[in-house]
Amino acid sequence: MAAAAGGGWPAVCEKFRAARTLSAVESLKDPETEPYRSKYSARALLQEVKQLLSAAEEGGEAVLAVRRAVLEYELGVNHTDTEELSAGDEHLQRCTQLLEPHRLSPDCVSLYIQAQNNLGILWSQRDEIETAQTYLESAEALYNQYMKEDGNPPLDPSEHFMAEEEKLTDQERSKRFEKAYTHTLYYLAQVYQHLEMIEKAAQYCHTTLKRQLEYCGYYPVEWARNAATLSQYYLSKECFMEARHCLAAASVIFSQAGQVPSAEDYETEPDQQDLPERKAEIARCWIKYCLNLLQSARKLLEDNIGELDPDRQLELKAQRKKEEDEKEKGRKKAVLFGTSDICDSVLAMEEKVSSVYPLDFQEAREVFLVGQNYVQEAKEFFQVDGYVTDHIEIVQDHSALFKVLAFFEEDYERRCKMHKRRIDMLEPIYTDLNPQYYLLIRRQLQCELADTYYEMMDLKVAIGNRLEKLDSHTVKKINSLAQFAIKYYELFLDSLRNPDKVFPEKLEEDVLRPAMVAKFHIARLYGKLITSDSKKQLENMQTSLEYYTFLVDYCEKYPDAVPAIETELELSKEMVNLLPASMERLRAKVSSFV
């Protein structure tokens, strides 16, 4: 045998193992100046093994073809790793061609699937996503066909260069084969995401996460991050039980980071130094969960003027009692993550927050408090010094939590206090922001502050309406809140002006509705200002009329703006018709006293 000249078959196997060690282990230590040094050395060794194999006669033609395929596979991965995609593609294609006639045999199936996986990765790197999809779906179909027709643990590719006594156990073979298929599903999830097949991407992501736990093949931080990201998909579909399960599992698995070695080939997880940031990211996903659950509940419960509908509340409570238990039991089976130990920890985590719509203040408050705790946790890392945008988004979410909790509060005074909390957290941030660098964020805050003052003013008016007679303190409070709301709406509108302070003749689509709503609210606010001075009242009515007229005139000039502000436009038209007559009556009344 020609291979014997170099020490026989064991020496060939040793060279192959050395090449794999260079690629997998030594390459991690390569200097930045020579990032592929070990990969190139591994390639040279693989080429040597290829030459030796060509001269060898051991094992017959079929065995030789599979061994050549293994080398083509290793060379394909090597070239892909060193960013030589064309050469990588050639080697991987040769690998699949050699295996094609026997791809369903236990000797070949795992290698064939891994070659298809790597062709999928390679074509993804070329931004040829549909070609990548073809390779990966082919790998998926082959796995399913093999499991249906055979199902026995197939050989791992590395075993083709092992002595008989070194071969893997069936258990280890099965673990490696399942891991290769898990990678297929993982890459398919990303491909479907790129192709905007969002539902399919989520389904594959969920299956991947389940399999990674089942076969102990995951990095805790990466797994937790992917589960938390998947929760946001479920939130978008209002599947709160599934979203909560993903987040609870993310929190439980994340807690393993740094405490146990990763089961992913016993490597160290790359993200260890980023643990505080990753933890804060998961906390932010929990905030979104609590906020979305509360906001969805509000949509179910509100009447046509945005207040809580008591009849609807009673109806939903009765309905929930009948349905929820059975519904949860059925759906739980489909989404459950992990082994019994992990499941117990996940279920304990889930019990801290509901996944059903809160239908009254007490239930809403429980969800709110969980969200608020995660706000504090997220802010510990995302501090204003260094993470301005992230910090502000978290504060805005905190404000939104107070806003939706206020919906469930029946007492107007307490509701006002909740909105005051929003003002207290938003105003200092707004004041500190440089308009040159943070124009868009300042606009968001201007609108939110204006809306909050506007809401508080409405509440104070409602409180005043319950009194026999408005006292001076309530009048002063209503006017003060109205003036603050006007101030922030005007600041927002001023931010739309050009450098010459001229308001745009035609508004951009992204600011059309906010600008028109600001104009509409200012018109209404001037109508709400309370004064005993008739002259001042006429001035306020005139200003109010001007703002209403602006909306009507703008929509006549630009009819395509109408769909964005239909309700406000209808009310503005009414006020443009009614206000002049009201102003005339007031003028006549003033004249009669002169």
Side-chain angles (χ1 to χ4, degrees), residues 43-44 46-47 50-51 65 67-82 84-99 111 114-116 118-119 122-123 126 135:
R43 186 184 301 175
L46 289 168
Q47 293 289 7
K50 199 174 175 184
Q51 292 303 316
R67 287 174 180 164
R68 283 178 183 152
V70 172
L71 291 170
E72 293 295 350
Y73 170 76
E74 294 290 343
L75 285 163
V77 173
N78 182 288
H79 281 86
T80 305
D81 287 346
T82 57
E84 298 163 80
L85 299 186
S86 292
D89 185 34
E90 284 175 29
H91 284 293
L92 290 168
Q93 295 289 3
R94 277 203 287 272
C95 169
T96 55
Q97 284 160 16
L98 285 162
L99 296 174
L111 177 58
Q114 289 181 56
Q116 298 278 81
N118 278 276
L119 282 164
L122 187 149
W123 285 92
R126 287 174 162 171
Y135 283 115

Side-chain angles (χ1 to χ4, degrees), residues 18-19 22 36-46 48 78:
L22 278 166
Y36 300 134
R37 185 169 68 190
S38 297
K39 298 277 185 190
Y40 293 144
S41 301
R43 186 184 301 175
L45 279 178
L46 289 168
E48 283 181 42
N78 182 288

Side-chain angles (χ1 to χ4, degrees), residues 432-450:
D432 291 342
L433 278 180
N434 185 326
Q436 190 178 342
Y437 302 113
Y438 297 106
L439 177 64
L440 291 179
I441 295 175
R442 276 174 64 90
R443 282 178 180 171
Q444 284 176 14
L445 292 172
Q446 285 158 353
C447 287
E448 188 168 356
L449 283 162

Side-chain angles (χ1 to χ4, degrees), residues 104-105 223 249 315 341 346 394 399 432 519 526 572:
L104 270 169
S105 77
W223 193 97
E315 180 191 326
D341 286 351
V346 171
I394 293 164
S399 167
D432 291 342
K519 292 271 188 186
Y526 271 105
S572 296

Side-chain angles (χ1 to χ4, degrees), residues 151-415:
N152 291 309
L155 259 67
D156 186 71
S158 63
E159 291 188 83
H160 294 288
F161 286 88
M162 282 182 185
E164 199 59 41
E165 64 273 11
E166 295 173 320
K167 294 285 175 77
L168 305 175
T169 63
D170 275 358
Q171 187 180 5
E172 184 60 26
R173 283 175 178 173
S174 178
K175 182 182 167 186
R176 294 191 185 191
F177 185 51
E178 295 299 343
K179 181 180 168 184
Y181 179 57
T182 302
H183 284 164
T184 306
L185 300 177
Y186 176 75
Y187 302 133
L188 272 171
Q190 294 179 62
V191 160
Y192 292 138
Q193 182 81 28
H194 275 289
L195 294 172
E196 295 184 6
M197 298 163 72
I198 305 302
E199 200 160 331
K200 205 165 185 181
Q203 177 195 330
Y204 274 71
C205 182
H206 200 121
T207 306
T208 300
L209 291 168
K210 284 181 79 167
R211 289 177 61 84
Q212 285 174 334
L213 286 184
E214 189 180 342
Y215 295 104
C216 295
Y218 61 94
Y219 293 127
V221 177
E222 183 191 16
W223 193 97
R225 197 178 186 187
N226 288 334
T229 303
L230 180 59
S231 76
Q232 303 305 288
Y233 162 77
Y234 286 127
L235 280 189
S236 72
K237 298 292 179 186
E238 296 196 350
C239 298
F240 292 103
M241 190 198 73
E242 291 85 345
R244 180 184 66 172
H245 188 65
C246 287
L247 284 170
S251 294
V252 168
I253 298 299
F254 182 85
S255 67
Q256 297 176 358
Q259 294 176 22
V260 293
S262 167
E264 185 74 4
D265 295 338
Y266 300 100
E267 297 170 10
T268 304
E269 183 160 17
D271 271 352
Q272 291 293 312
Q273 69 275 23
D274 297 330
L275 288 180
E277 183 173 359
R278 300 291 165 254
K279 187 182 179 189
E281 285 171 352
I282 293 169
R284 290 184 73 179
C285 290
W286 273 114
I287 296 166
K288 293 293 185 191
Y289 170 83
C290 295
L291 185 54
N292 277 268
L293 182 60
L294 288 164
Q295 288 173 337
S296 295
R298 181 181 64 192
K299 280 182 205 163
L300 281 176
L301 288 164
E302 66 187 352
D303 58 21
N304 58 1
I305 57 163
E307 288 293 317
L308 195 148
D309 183 336
D311 294 335
R312 181 79 176 126
Q313 185 183 41
L314 288 171
E315 180 191 326
L316 286 167
K317 280 190 174 183
Q319 186 181 318
R320 183 172 73 183
K321 208 165 186 179
K322 284 181 190 171
E323 294 176 4
E324 205 54 54
D325 288 346
E326 286 307 310
K327 190 175 169 188
E328 182 157 336
K329 278 178 200 166
R331 283 163 61 195
K332 258 284 163 68
K333 290 174 188 169
V335 300
L336 221 54
F337 283 130
T339 59
S340 58
D341 286 351
I342 289 172
C343 276
D344 288 346
S345 301
V346 171
L347 290 170
M349 190 80 195
E350 286 181 327
E351 282 172 11
K352 294 178 181 178
V353 62
S354 175
S355 67
V356 298
Y357 294 120
L359 299 178
D360 57 36
F361 179 77
Q362 191 51 45
E363 291 176 1
R365 185 174 175 274
E366 286 170 13
V367 177
F368 166 85
L369 288 173
V370 172
Q372 185 165 251
N373 284 338
Y374 282 112
V375 166
Q376 301 314 324
E377 192 175 302
K379 279 163 70 177
E380 281 175 27
F381 179 82
F382 291 111
Q383 297 184 11
V384 74
D385 187 12
Y387 294 95
V388 178
T389 307
D390 292 294
H391 182 84
I392 291 169
E393 283 174 6
I394 293 164
V395 173
Q396 286 177 299
D397 281 344
H398 196 187
S399 167
L401 282 167
F402 269 108
K403 180 181 180 180
V404 73
L405 181 64
F407 166 82
F408 291 89
E409 176 54 72
E410 293 176 12
D411 185 284
Y412 285 179
E413 288 288 1
R414 285 180 62 187
R415 219 192 268 194

Side-chain angles (χ1 to χ4, degrees), residues 467-516:
L467 302 172
E468 282 185 29
K469 187 184 175 188
L470 273 180
D471 56 76
S472 60
H473 173 74
T474 307
V475 169
K476 194 175 176 184
K477 195 68 187 170
I478 290 168
N479 286 344
S480 170
L481 291 167
Q483 292 290 2
F484 273 116
I486 290 167
K487 169 192 156 183
Y488 282 109
Y489 283 130
E490 290 288 17
L491 283 167
F492 168 69
L493 293 169
D494 287 345
S495 77
L496 304 176
R497 296 178 186 276
N498 67 17
D500 297 325
K501 306 294 182 192
V502 176
F503 196 76
E505 188 178 321
K506 192 171 195 299
L507 291 157
E508 295 292 328
E509 195 177 339
D510 61 328
V511 294
L512 172 65
R513 176 160 175 79
M516 289 304 195

